[in-house]
Amino acid sequence: MKPLSIKDIAKKASVSITTVSFILNGKAREKRISEEVIKKVEDIIKEIGYKPNQIARSLRTGNTKTIGLLVEDISNPFFASIARLIEDKAYKKGYKISYSSTENDMEKANSLINMFRTRKVDAYIIAPVAGIEPVIRELIDDRKPVVFFDRTLAGVSTGSVVVDNFSGAYEATKHHILEGRKNIALVTVDMDVEQINERFEGYKKALKDAKIDFRSELVTKIDFSLSRESTVRELVTMFEARPEMDAVLFATNYLAVSGLMAIKELGKEIGKQFAVIAYDDHDIFRLHTPQISVVDQPIEQIADNVIDLILNKLSSGDKLKEIDKVKLMPKLIIR
Amino acid sequence: MKPLSIKDIAKKASVSITTVSFILNGKAREKRISEEVIKKVEDIIKEIGYKPNQIARSLRTGNTKTIGLLVEDISNPFFASIARLIEDKAYKKGYKISYSSTENDMEKANSLINMFRTRKVDAYIIAPVAGIEPVIRELIDDRKPVVFFDRTLAGVSTGSVVVDNFSGAYEATKHHILEGRKNIALVTVDMDVEQINERFEGYKKALKDAKIDFRSELVTKIDFSLSRESTVRELVTMFEARPEMDAVLFATNYLAVSGLMAIKELGKEIGKQFAVIAYDDHDIFRLHTPQISVVDQPIEQIADNVIDLILNKLSSGDKLKEIDKVKLMPKLIIR
């Protein structure tokens, strides 16, 4: 049986097609259609199981009430928590979010953005990857609201919400120095991305300001694609090779977890002789014995600001007059 | 300027529209179009920035090469890890995944499924919520491949991948009993869902088989919507009220994390006097001092089976002849 059209419903209810259309689009009250007519039409719709063609509807109204979200890696608790907060906040405002992980892979990121375009999402929230500049410029040309978070891309003007990475690493390193540490290591990831580069700069500047020589042998750069197992192995070797090391700053949460596993394996004690600061707060660091100090990124604030920027852009038709850039401060939590 | 059509490209390249269409659809080599012509057309496409209408294309080919994934809560590491694995495996097979959290809310789940329908995803992977049976039946009637994971829904026939929850809780409780524990508590969530009910049954059956009386005062059901903070408070009170308790089984990973925080706060020692088993393995439990025993759900196998079922259904046109139901076994890891 051919599904009934709006015309059929109108005929059955003895009202005009326009009236049915208003009711289907939730404009019945605004258009002062009587409750009696609304009920009659709704009953017919329920009875025949009419489903409006939603693609046609989204083409007509021009919005799908959905937002595409790209994170680096959904299994990283920093991104998982932010995704969940953004999702909750957006849902309360009537927007659905769907998300995917880029794995920092330019090709995957481009193909995910194109997937979102095909599905006509209303807006984009992206932890960007180098190389996606052209497609982002196309989105901006199409007047699609785009907000970056966690990092930005040079030469692309979008709204963005970032945390001051330089200052996070600077304050953590400075804390180690004030505690009298002399041989402060940095464990970071071998990736040329803004947020990681800035943390490296913060570490170096804190040493410089304290007139401590920067020593490259105290910096370990782990390959991003390395497995958990291999990362732990590499860090065990590194810790064994540098017995003089009396403090370490881990530039990401997952490196800190691998580092704590290496430290546990070596039976190395965290405390007076050897101090640790991790990046991002997490249950793991609160539950660890001893508890681990962290550079805490304000994930609730990141999510709030991202959603505010996006909703603002959506409601103003993204006039692109002002580019909103928010920079939040991390908090050093000493435990 | 009006964007150029396929016709314009064909004219510019002095070839037929069919030739351009083959090239756009990646069938140039199959159709033995010369490399020279391919290059000429591709150069024109690049030069004019032609973008094929992807909605039209997906309507024509009938597939979008995307799969919708619904988890309970993406900030739960069990779901975050599975989502990431499913995403990786699907991407290698040419499918993009986008996911959302249902928060076990029927209304949200229904609205997310409708979002995926509007976007014409090719298939659905869902951790189902009671109340979504009607919309799932519609998907099945539309011959859309649907695979459930983590739990199923009575009265709905789809492919599914679950872990034996009864046996997970049974083996954990039995281990506590064999270790000589007499007052074994269960901390679980106040939700009427299959996987949680089965874990409760497994706990009760292990007690019964050992001729230990079931005592309801040793079972704590935490409200799913309770904050982390309040959960920890409630568990502190519970532990204080039951000093005779010598073992506990946590029925979910997030309850175990809250429980460990309560135990830490109370200064209660985990060991000879008091034993803990958590559900789902996680870095937190491996890094904890002492390490925490767990009922480990095989997340890699869950992801593999889910992807295999979905790809099978997609390639066979979902003939619906056989309903594949996979039940995996959890593993008790004693630490």
Side-chain angles (χ1 to χ4, degrees):
Chain A
M1 193 187 82
K2 196 177 150 286
L4 291 185
S5 67
I6 293 191
K7 206 168 145 186
D8 300 321
I9 297 169
K11 207 171 157 187
K12 222 172 146 133
S14 315
V15 298
S16 73
I17 292 177
T18 315
T19 301
V20 175
S21 166
F22 283 148
I23 294 170
L24 283 172
N25 288 296
K27 295 196 171 167
R29 269 128 202 128
E30 175 188 324
K31 298 291 179 184
R32 298 173 176 273
I33 296 168
S34 79
E35 293 295 326
E36 191 192 357
V37 169
I38 296 174
K39 190 171 180 320
K40 188 157 84 182
V41 170
E42 286 182 343
D43 285 349
I44 292 168
I45 290 169
K46 213 176 286 172
E47 184 192 325
I48 65 172
Y50 172 80
K51 265 172 271 148
N53 181 332
Q54 299 213 31
I55 286 204
R57 179 196 280 178
S58 75
L59 289 174
R60 199 173 59 241
T61 65
N63 62 56
T64 56
K65 287 282 180 185
T66 60
I67 297 170
L69 168 62
L70 289 186
V71 301
E72 177 181 298
D73 170 7
I74 204 67
S75 66
N76 177 329
F78 171 74
F79 288 107
S81 306
I82 287 186
R84 174 63 199 272
L85 288 168
I86 288 178
E87 190 180 20
D88 281 1
K89 289 171 204 289
Y91 191 67
K92 283 179 190 131
K93 303 285 184 176
Y95 283 88
K96 287 177 283 282
I97 301 266
S98 69
Y99 26 101
S100 296
S101 310
T102 63
E103 297 169 63
N104 266 316
D105 177 318
M106 177 192 88
E107 216 173 297
K108 188 170 181 203
N110 274 323
S111 109
L112 290 168
I113 293 170
N114 281 324
M115 168 183 83
F116 286 136
R117 284 169 95 168
T118 307
R119 292 169 173 192
K120 301 198 164 296
V121 301
D122 296 339
Y124 299 78
I125 300 171
I126 300 176
V129 178
I132 65 168
E133 292 85 348
V135 67
I136 298 294
R137 285 200 197 94
E138 287 178 12
L139 295 178
I140 295 169
D141 289 348
D142 289 352
R143 310 197 141 246
K144 288 290 177 195
V146 179
V147 169
F148 284 166
F149 75 104
D150 193 47
R151 55 296 269 286
T152 58
L153 287 178
V156 182
S157 273
T158 68
S160 63
V161 179
V162 297
V163 178
D164 190 329
N165 289 290
F166 176 89
S167 116
Y170 183 91
E171 293 300 327
T173 309
K174 189 176 149 196
H175 177 82
H176 276 324
I177 295 168
L178 291 175
E179 292 283 297
R181 312 288 171 183
K182 305 283 181 227
N183 301 296
I184 303 165
L186 175 71
V187 174
T188 185
V189 56
D190 191 9
M191 242 184 348
D192 183 23
V193 292
E194 183 188 83
Q195 74 280 20
I196 295 299
N197 294 339
E198 288 177 4
R199 291 176 197 175
F200 193 19
E201 292 307 317
Y203 163 80
K204 287 196 286 193
K205 186 66 166 46
L207 293 178
K208 198 176 168 200
D209 286 354
K211 301 193 176 15
I212 296 175
D213 284 341
F214 168 77
R215 287 154 54 204
S216 62
E217 69 271 24
L218 285 174
V219 175
T220 307
K221 292 192 177 187
I222 302 283
D223 182 343
F224 180 66
S225 62
L226 217 57
S227 70
R228 160 64 56 80
E229 189 105 305
S230 308
T231 303
V232 174
R233 294 266 61 73
E234 204 163 299
L235 291 176
V236 163
T237 311
M238 184 277 288
F239 284 127
E240 285 181 324
R242 304 269 156 231
E244 78 278 18
M245 184 188 303
D246 54 10
V248 59
L249 168 63
F250 291 102
T252 77
N253 60 38
Y254 55 88
L255 287 173
V257 169
S258 296
L260 290 173
M261 287 179 171
I263 289 164
K264 195 179 184 88
E265 191 176 319
L266 286 165
K268 210 171 158 74
E269 210 179 308
I270 296 173
K272 285 217 167 121
Q273 304 304 314
F274 179 65
V276 168
I277 300 182
Y279 226 93
D280 300 332
D281 203 7
H282 189 268
D283 291 336
I284 286 190
F285 306 131
R286 284 185 291 266
L287 269 177
H288 196 271
T289 308
Q291 292 193 320
I292 303 298
S293 300
V294 296
V295 178
D296 181 29
Q297 303 200 74
I299 57 169
E300 183 103 28
Q301 275 187 63
I302 297 172
D304 279 339
N305 278 284
V306 163
I307 284 296
D308 285 354
L309 284 189
I310 277 286
L311 294 180
N312 253 330
K313 279 168 176 278
L314 280 167
S315 64
S316 71
D318 195 32
K319 295 283 182 295
L320 290 176
K321 277 191 192 127
E322 42 186 320
I323 300 297
D324 297 301
K325 299 195 178 296
V326 176
K327 187 177 245 181
L328 302 169
M329 291 305 289
K331 202 170 74 189
L332 183 62
I333 302 178
I334 297 301
R335 297 188 164 123
Chain B
M1 193 188 84
K2 197 178 149 287
L4 292 184
S5 67
I6 293 191
K7 206 168 145 188
D8 299 321
I9 297 168
K11 208 170 157 188
K12 224 172 145 141
S14 315
V15 299
S16 74
I17 291 177
T18 315
T19 300
V20 175
S21 166
F22 283 148
I23 294 171
L24 282 171
N25 289 296
K27 295 196 171 166
R29 270 131 200 124
E30 176 188 324
K31 299 290 179 184
R32 298 173 178 272
I33 296 169
S34 80
E35 293 297 325
E36 191 192 358
V37 168
I38 296 173
K39 192 173 179 321
K40 188 155 85 180
V41 169
E42 285 182 345
D43 284 349
I44 291 169
I45 290 169
K46 213 177 284 172
E47 183 192 326
I48 65 172
Y50 173 80
K51 266 171 270 146
N53 180 331
Q54 299 212 32
I55 286 204
R57 179 195 280 178
S58 75
L59 289 172
R60 197 173 60 241
T61 65
N63 62 56
T64 56
K65 286 282 180 185
T66 61
I67 297 170
L69 167 63
L70 289 184
V71 301
E72 178 181 298
D73 170 7
I74 202 68
S75 66
N76 177 331
F78 171 74
F79 288 107
S81 307
I82 288 186
R84 175 64 199 271
L85 287 169
I86 288 177
E87 191 179 18
D88 281 0
K89 290 171 203 289
Y91 191 68
K92 284 180 189 130
K93 302 284 185 176
Y95 283 89
K96 287 178 285 282
I97 301 265
S98 69
Y99 27 100
S100 296
S101 310
T102 64
E103 297 169 64
N104 266 316
D105 178 318
M106 177 192 87
E107 217 173 296
K108 189 170 181 204
N110 274 324
S111 109
L112 290 168
I113 293 170
N114 281 324
M115 168 184 83
F116 285 137
R117 285 170 95 170
T118 307
R119 293 167 171 194
K120 301 199 164 296
V121 302
D122 296 339
Y124 299 78
I125 300 171
I126 300 176
V129 178
I132 63 168
E133 292 85 348
V135 67
I136 298 294
R137 285 200 196 96
E138 287 177 14
L139 294 179
I140 296 170
D141 288 348
D142 290 352
R143 309 196 143 247
K144 289 291 176 195
V146 178
V147 168
F148 284 166
F149 75 103
D150 193 46
R151 52 302 265 286
T152 59
L153 286 178
V156 182
S157 272
T158 67
S160 64
V161 179
V162 297
V163 179
D164 190 330
N165 289 290
F166 176 89
S167 114
Y170 183 92
E171 293 300 326
T173 309
K174 189 175 151 195
H175 178 81
H176 276 325
I177 295 168
L178 292 176
E179 292 283 297
R181 311 290 171 183
K182 304 284 181 225
N183 301 295
I184 303 165
L186 174 71
V187 174
T188 185
V189 57
D190 191 9
M191 242 185 346
D192 183 23
V193 291
E194 183 188 82
Q195 74 281 20
I196 295 299
N197 294 340
E198 288 177 4
R199 291 176 198 176
F200 193 19
E201 293 305 317
Y203 164 80
K204 288 197 285 195
K205 185 66 164 50
L207 293 178
K208 198 176 169 201
D209 285 354
K211 299 191 178 16
I212 296 174
D213 283 341
F214 168 76
R215 288 155 52 204
S216 61
E217 69 271 23
L218 285 175
V219 175
T220 306
K221 291 192 178 187
I222 302 284
D223 183 343
F224 180 66
S225 62
L226 217 56
S227 70
R228 160 64 55 81
E229 190 105 302
S230 309
T231 304
V232 173
R233 296 265 60 72
E234 203 162 301
L235 291 176
V236 163
T237 310
M238 184 276 287
F239 284 128
E240 285 180 325
R242 304 268 154 233
E244 78 277 18
M245 184 188 302
D246 54 9
V248 57
L249 168 63
F250 292 101
T252 76
N253 60 39
Y254 55 88
L255 288 172
V257 169
S258 296
L260 290 173
M261 287 180 171
I263 290 164
K264 194 179 184 88
E265 191 176 317
L266 287 165
K268 211 172 158 75
E269 209 179 311
I270 296 173
K272 285 217 167 120
Q273 303 303 315
F274 179 65
V276 168
I277 300 181
Y279 226 94
D280 300 331
D281 202 6
H282 188 268
D283 291 335
I284 286 190
F285 307 130
R286 284 184 291 265
L287 269 177
H288 196 272
T289 309
Q291 291 194 320
I292 303 297
S293 300
V294 296
V295 179
D296 181 28
Q297 303 200 74
I299 56 170
E300 183 104 29
Q301 273 187 65
I302 297 172
D304 278 340
N305 278 283
V306 163
I307 285 295
D308 284 354
L309 284 189
I310 277 286
L311 294 181
N312 253 330
K313 279 169 176 277
L314 281 167
S315 64
S316 71
D318 195 33
K319 294 282 183 295
L320 290 177
K321 275 190 191 130
E322 43 185 320
I323 301 296
D324 296 302
K325 299 194 178 297
V326 176
K327 189 176 245 182
L328 302 169
M329 291 306 289
K331 202 169 75 190
L332 183 62
I333 302 179
I334 297 302
R335 296 185 166 126

